[in-house]
Amino acid sequence: MPRSIPALPGLIRYTRWDQVPAGLHTKTQLGRMDPPLKPGADPVGQVLYHGNSYAPLYDVATAVPKRRVSPAQRAVLDRARTLQYECRRCGTAGTEPLGRGRYCDRCRDAMTMWEQHDQAQTLARELVADPAAVLLVVDVAPDSLPGAQGVAVVSVRDRQVLYAAEAGEHGTPERGAVVDRLDSLLAGRRVVEEPNFMGPHRRFPQALLRLPTSDPVVPGRDPLHPWAAPHSEENPSLSRIWAGWYGWTERPSYTRPCVPWEWGGDIPMPWTRSLDLAADGLSMAGVLHRIADGTEPVWERAAWTLDGHGAERGKVSA
């Protein structure tokens, strides 16, 4: 709505409503008459209102009956008003208009989760198709089990071990040689990190570069060792991909899938966690292949599976 409506040229202007002669009415006033009318000719005057706008005035003698809404049209309008309260996905009717998209909260949550599930598969397919994509598995925690400190690099597409070695202690030539090898081997590759918070101890690539007691590494891409960038889009973690696919949430109202804090019960760990880092990398590569193929299980209570309607786009009612 414009802030003001300028006067029409060539028409008489009235600055107050009591100056308007009888028989002259605005379009709104004509429509409120019984029976409703509409202008049948050009305006013959205009009146100032709201201090800065002019409304055209029409002669009631030239007005014509306003076309009435037919029963069929009325039914269509009533149906349109009713649909404002009905979810187009599940058909549930609410007490308030649903607004744009016409989805109830439950269906909107399910569709959000489905989108993340679909994005996880898209990312897994990209990684499986990329000959340069690799899984990086490390274990350098000081409290690791005997013989567990090491590093392994596994090709995602071919599921082959490209590199496996003991990591050595921080600050030693052995550790430096491992870091140099990773710099060379992982240059220009898409690196998938192993989850860093599961199992009996932590595993995270950036631990190769710093002492366990030093300050946390600032998130972001390391210009010298980009393969060790924590929580980055360049180096996604397997847990993030799998969580989006599996669809587990801590509470029904959550729309962000996550990895269970404690494995067990009905949610077994989908990849191995052992002292053999290369075998664990191969197991994780298998998870990516199953997600890409669509054969990796999803949570039976995932939001988009609860009502059986699915959440794919293009499969909703009008």
Side-chain angles (χ1 to χ4, degrees):
M1 178 67 68
R3 294 183 178 181
S4 64
I5 300 177
L8 296 173
L11 296 180
I12 187 172
R13 304 178 187 178
Y14 302 99
T15 57
R16 298 196 312 270
W17 286 98
D18 58 5
Q19 296 176 344
V20 178
L24 297 187
H25 302 276
T26 65
K27 186 183 296 185
T28 301
Q29 292 172 336
L30 291 175
R32 291 175 178 174
M33 292 183 176
D34 188 16
L37 302 175
K38 66 178 181 179
D42 294 334
V44 296
Q46 52 194 330
V47 60
L48 181 68
Y49 71 102
H50 289 172
N52 60 354
S53 297
Y54 281 87
L57 296 171
Y58 302 88
D59 191 343
V60 68
T62 61
V64 296
K66 198 173 185 179
R67 188 176 66 176
R68 294 183 178 273
V69 178
S70 68
Q73 291 173 323
R74 177 62 62 188
V76 170
L77 293 173
D78 291 343
R79 177 57 179 163
R81 294 189 185 96
T82 301
L83 287 177
Q84 294 178 8
Y85 297 83
E86 291 182 2
C87 176
R88 64 186 303 188
R89 178 170 174 268
C90 68
T92 302
T95 58
E96 298 291 337
L98 296 177
R100 185 177 182 180
R102 274 191 20 243
Y103 295 111
C104 65
D105 290 340
R106 180 177 176 180
C107 287
R108 196 178 299 276
D109 293 347
M111 296 177 69
T112 299
M113 294 287 289
W114 169 268
E115 289 293 332
Q116 297 174 51
H117 167 84
D118 188 58
Q119 290 168 6
Q121 185 178 46
T122 299
L123 179 55
R125 287 174 173 173
E126 292 176 357
L127 293 168
V128 168
D130 187 353
V134 295
L135 273 157
L136 175 61
V137 188
V138 301
D139 193 344
V140 294
D143 58 347
S144 299
L145 299 176
Q149 296 196 5
V151 59
V153 178
V154 175
S155 169
V156 174
R157 188 179 72 171
D158 301 330
R159 285 186 271 193
Q160 294 182 353
V161 180
L162 303 181
Y163 177 63
E166 294 183 0
E169 295 184 2
H170 184 82
T172 64
E174 292 78 10
R175 176 66 62 83
V178 169
V179 172
D180 291 342
R181 180 73 176 106
L182 292 177
D183 286 340
S184 174
L185 179 62
L186 302 180
R189 291 180 178 269
R190 296 186 66 177
V191 179
V192 182
E193 298 178 356
E194 183 191 9
N196 64 358
F197 56 84
M198 292 181 288
H201 41 266
R202 292 178 178 269
R203 299 178 176 183
F204 42 97
Q206 59 267 32
L208 288 165
L209 309 176
R210 63 185 179 89
L211 289 169
T213 56
S214 62
D215 294 333
V217 176
V218 178
R221 194 168 180 84
D222 189 321
L224 298 179
H225 313 287
W227 48 267
H231 310 296
S232 66
E233 293 298 327
E234 295 86 353
N235 301 349
S237 71
L238 179 68
S239 63
R240 180 173 68 86
I241 300 172
W242 177 85
W245 170 265
Y246 192 70
W248 184 85
T249 53
E250 191 173 3
R251 296 181 182 179
S253 59
Y254 287 4
T255 57
R256 184 178 181 83
C258 55
V259 176
W261 297 109
E262 294 184 4
W263 295 94
D266 298 332
I267 308 179
M269 182 178 287
W271 55 87
T272 61
R273 182 88 175 187
S274 68
L275 300 181
D276 190 339
L277 303 187
D280 292 351
L282 292 172
S283 176
M284 287 184 280
V287 172
L288 289 176
H289 277 262
R290 293 195 298 273
I291 292 176
D293 296 337
T295 57
E296 176 69 18
V298 298
W299 189 34
E300 62 180 8
R301 295 173 57 192
W304 68 88
T305 67
L306 290 179
D307 55 15
H309 287 81
E312 300 93 327
R313 290 180 177 177
K315 293 188 177 181
V316 294
S317 61

